[in-house]
Each structure stands twice: as structure tokens, then as C-alpha cells.
Amino acid sequence: MWRSLNGTVKIQITSADPAGVICSLYGHGIPVENVHYVDELTFHCQVQRQYTKRVIALVDRRADQWKILSHKGIFWSFQRLINRPVLVAGVLIFILLTIFLPTRIYFFCVEGNASVPDQYILELASEYGISFGAVRREIRSEQVKNALLHAIPQLEWVGINTAGCVATISVRERQVAEPAQPVRGISSIVAIRDGVVQEVTVTGGSAACRPGQAVRAGQVLISGYTDCGLSIRAERAKGEIYATTNRQMMFILPENFVQRGHRVSQNQRFSIIIGKKRINFYQDSGNLDATCVKMYEENYVTLPGGFQLPIAIVTETWIDYESAAPAATVEENSRTMSSLAQDYLRSQMVAGTILSKDESFSQRDGFLLLYGKYGCLEMIGQERSEEIITP
């Protein structure tokens, strides 16, 4: 360790009497290490830094030649570093910033708010110590929490977390439940499709149909008016009416089509937005085909305190996929069409199921056509408000 701190010098000496030179060095109290003969007249040796001048003086008195080959040790590394003042200043500044910056708050973030603006929360927080350049040790989180909850009634909870130079203010707003509006007025339940009634369930109003009865679209199924003998009670009709219905559908599928396959490549393109101008760092028409997908992302420059500059870095990710034509037979396409048609039919029902189907397939002009007739059991009742006429 001491030799590394002190430093050593590797010297090449050329002399007619190399052994005499080595003996002379030892005779003057100069320790020599790692002696290596290059040839009969030249050898390398290693001496400590403080003996370098004495070795050179001794060799010069003997009229021999010398040459310094290298320097080793921490001393020489530090010496080379001192000869680069700009680098030393940069390292010192970096060390000071590393020590000083984490003790201060320079960036702010607000999360969890929806109706209360970020700037309003930051302005109030700055009044209680969370401001640009604030000392982290001096921030009293409980004091700031209580102050924000008192100043902003919309907040239910506040939390403050600091990490490095960033202070994150997490809030939770109060959930104000809107009072339920009472349902008023008179309504009836009418049929939305033609069908034959199979099941009638009435929980409000009076039934205007019965199982086995054929009804048309728009016909009243449950009336909001109930005859009580001496009076008529008016209310909102409630209930469910299930009926068997007939539906027809035509589904078209191309015989030859191309679908997206595996990912082939991915490229990123960058641009910058300054105000309303955009500067692209690439050349491209921007027209995409079916095998390419583009993902767009904008990141705006934000100053400490939450101030956003009209400058954004735009990252576009272009992903290319291989295109492949699925090798499916007509039978497989027919089964696919039948499944898609039935899924679509179920999504059009309020509630119900498909009881029967009669499907036929045909090919025409490069397309596969599906003609289907379906018998369904579905709920056909829909509420309709009744108009009240007063004299």
C-alpha cells in the first residue's frame, strides 16, 4: 500500500558495465527491484519515486544512458489528475451536487386529484413549506397535511412522500353521492318485436297479455293503469315478458383475405414540438399499410413547480407485421360465420337464448354468404312513459 501511495519509476539503463551500475546504486543506499536484462548492455529496473533524481545523477556521472519507461502508483495517478484542472473542477462540482441536491426539493408531483387543480394544491402547499428549494429536513408532513385538508374541503386524505429531489403530494377527494332522484310519472311496458308470449311476470301495473298470445311491436304488454273498480290507479309498470321471436340475418365473409401475423420489426422515430410547429428527425410519408402499426407518445418538458413548457418530445414506434392469408376451407369458414352470427344475435337481445336455427351458405363473386333464420326466446318488453293530459 505504501509503495502504491508513494509511487515507483521504471528506468532503462544502458551501460558498458551493467553489474557495476547496480552495485553502485546499492552502494549509495538506493534499493533496486525487478531487474530485467534486455541484452548484455541494457537492463530495466524499478526504484521508488524519491530515489529517481539520485539514480539519474549517478548514471550521468558514469556517462551511461538512461530512459524513464513508466510511472506506477497512486501518487502518479493523482499527479496526472492535478494536471487536468477542468476535470478536477468537474469532479468536485459533481461531488458537491451529489451531496447537496438530495437535501432539497426541486420537483413536485400531485396525484389522485380529479376536480381540484394541481396548481391550486401546489400554491397552498408552498405556503406551508413545500416550495422550490425547500430543505427536506424542515418539511413537516403532518403540518402540511392538516393545512391542506383544512384549506381544501374537497380533500378527504393527503399524503406527502419525498424521494431525492421530488416531492409527491398524494390526495384522495371526497366522494359526494348524488341524491337519488325519485322516479315519477306513469309508464307502460310495450313490445319491441313481434312474437308469441311465453312467460309474463308483473310486479307493477296490470298485465295486458297472456302466455300463448301473439303480439306486435309497439303493443302494450303491461299497462301502468289498473282498474280498481271505483277508481283507476296510475303507476309505473314493472315486469318481464318473454316471447318466442323469429329473426333473419345475412352474413358476408370474403373468401380470400389477409390477416396480421407475427411481428417482423420495430423502429422508433423521434420529433420535437415547439409551440405549434413540429420538427421531424426522419423522412417518411406517414402512410401506413395494413401490416404496420404506429404508437404515438408525447412527453412535455416540465419545470420545477409543475410549469409545463410548450416543448414536447414525440416518440413514434412503428411495428411491422407479416401478412398471411389463412388457409381455411369453405366448411371451416362456414362454421366461423355461423358462430359469429349467433354471437352477434345474442348481443342484440336484452336477455334470451337461441332455440333453433336454419342456415344456408352460398358463394358469389368471391364472397361467402350466410342466410339464417333463427327462433329465439327473448325478453321483448321495453318501458315507455305515458303522457298525462290535464284539462
Side-chain angles (χ1 to χ4, degrees):
M1 178 62 69
W2 168 248
R3 291 178 57 192
S4 179
L5 291 174
N6 188 35
T8 59
V9 179
K10 186 177 182 180
I11 302 177
Q12 175 180 295
I13 299 176
T14 303
S15 174
D17 183 15
V21 174
I22 296 175
C23 292
S24 177
L25 292 175
Y26 276 108
H28 287 79
I30 302 175
V32 179
E33 301 175 351
N34 300 330
V35 178
H36 174 71
Y37 283 88
V38 179
D39 52 36
E40 295 180 354
L41 302 178
T42 306
F43 67 93
H44 298 167
C45 65
Q46 190 172 346
V47 298
Q48 295 186 11
R49 175 184 56 85
Q50 65 269 24
Y51 300 119
T52 304
K53 293 183 180 180
R54 294 175 58 186
V55 172
I56 294 173
L58 181 61
V59 172
D60 288 340
R61 284 199 301 270
R62 292 176 56 89
D64 295 332
Q65 296 180 356
W66 59 271
K67 181 180 178 181
I68 296 178
L69 299 180
S70 63
H71 301 82
K72 294 183 179 180
I74 298 177
F75 174 84
W76 297 110
S77 300
F78 185 73
Q79 186 71 25
R80 288 192 295 268
L81 186 63
I82 292 178
N83 294 331
R84 304 177 65 181
V86 177
L87 177 60
V88 174
V91 171
L92 292 177
I93 293 174
F94 176 76
I95 294 175
L96 293 176
L97 292 178
T98 303
I99 298 174
F100 176 75
L101 287 181
T103 63
R104 303 278 176 165
I105 300 297
Y106 299 101
F107 303 95
F108 307 93
C109 177
V110 180
E111 60 182 14
N113 57 318
S115 59
V116 183
D118 294 355
Q119 191 61 35
Y120 181 59
I121 296 176
L122 292 175
E123 289 178 358
L124 292 177
S126 63
E127 298 178 1
Y128 302 101
I130 302 182
S131 58
F132 180 77
V135 181
R136 292 182 58 186
R137 296 180 180 178
E138 297 179 357
I139 295 178
R140 299 294 181 263
S141 59
E142 291 298 330
Q143 180 180 357
V144 178
K145 293 177 186 178
N146 296 332
L148 290 178
L149 291 175
H150 178 74
I152 308 177
Q154 298 93 323
L155 300 183
E156 182 181 19
W157 176 84
V158 177
I160 300 174
N161 298 315
T162 58
C165 302
V166 181
T168 302
I169 304 176
S170 303
V171 301
R172 183 171 64 240
E173 298 181 352
R174 298 183 184 275
Q175 301 296 328
V176 180
E178 297 182 358
Q181 299 292 334
V183 181
R184 299 178 180 178
I186 304 171
S187 66
S188 300
I189 294 180
V190 299
I192 58 176
R193 299 185 62 83
D194 297 345
V196 178
V197 177
Q198 299 296 323
E199 182 181 345
V200 180
T201 303
V202 180
T203 57
S206 58
C209 62
R210 61 183 183 276
Q213 178 182 348
V215 295
R216 292 186 175 274
Q219 181 176 338
V220 176
L221 304 178
I222 301 177
S223 176
Y225 299 97
T226 304
D227 188 359
C228 299
L230 298 178
S231 63
I232 296 177
R233 184 178 62 192
E235 58 183 333
R236 302 192 69 85
K238 298 179 182 179
E240 295 180 352
I241 306 295
Y242 280 87
T244 54
T245 61
N246 294 320
R247 289 178 176 259
Q248 298 182 3
M249 180 182 299
M250 183 177 69
F251 203 89
I252 302 176
L253 180 69
E255 292 186 21
N256 299 318
F257 57 91
V258 177
Q259 67 182 12
R260 185 180 300 164
H262 299 287
R263 178 183 297 184
V264 177
S265 62
Q266 177 175 327
N267 299 313
Q268 283 189 331
R269 294 172 171 84
F270 300 94
S271 59
I272 185 171
I273 297 177
I274 302 177
K276 296 183 179 180
K277 292 186 177 181
R278 174 171 173 172
I279 302 174
N280 295 328
F281 299 110
Y282 60 91
Q283 293 181 353
D284 196 278
S285 62
N287 297 323
L288 304 179
D289 55 16
T291 62
C292 185
V293 174
K294 180 173 70 173
M295 293 186 292
Y296 183 87
E297 181 182 4
E298 290 183 0
N299 295 313
Y300 278 88
V301 179
T302 304
L303 294 178
F307 296 99
Q308 181 175 286
L309 297 179
I311 302 174
I313 306 298
V314 179
T315 304
E316 294 184 0
T317 304
W318 298 51
I319 304 175
D320 293 322
Y321 294 87
E322 64 179 8
S323 58
T329 62
V330 176
E331 290 75 12
E332 292 175 347
N333 288 334
S334 300
R335 289 194 295 269
T336 301
M337 294 175 64
S338 176
S339 177
L340 293 175
Q342 294 181 53
D343 291 342
Y344 174 78
L345 186 58
R346 293 188 187 95
S347 67
Q348 299 302 306
M349 300 180 188
V350 178
T353 184
I354 299 175
L355 299 177
S356 62
K357 64 178 181 178
D358 181 11
E359 298 174 337
S360 62
F361 300 91
S362 62
Q363 292 178 292
R364 183 186 306 171
D365 300 331
F367 291 91
L368 185 63
L369 284 75
L370 164 65
Y371 296 93
K373 295 181 180 180
Y374 303 90
C376 306
L377 176 64
E378 59 178 305
M379 188 171 65
I380 63 171
Q382 183 180 39
E383 188 176 10
R384 182 185 67 185
S385 298
E386 300 289 351
E387 182 179 0
I388 301 177
I389 301 177
T390 57

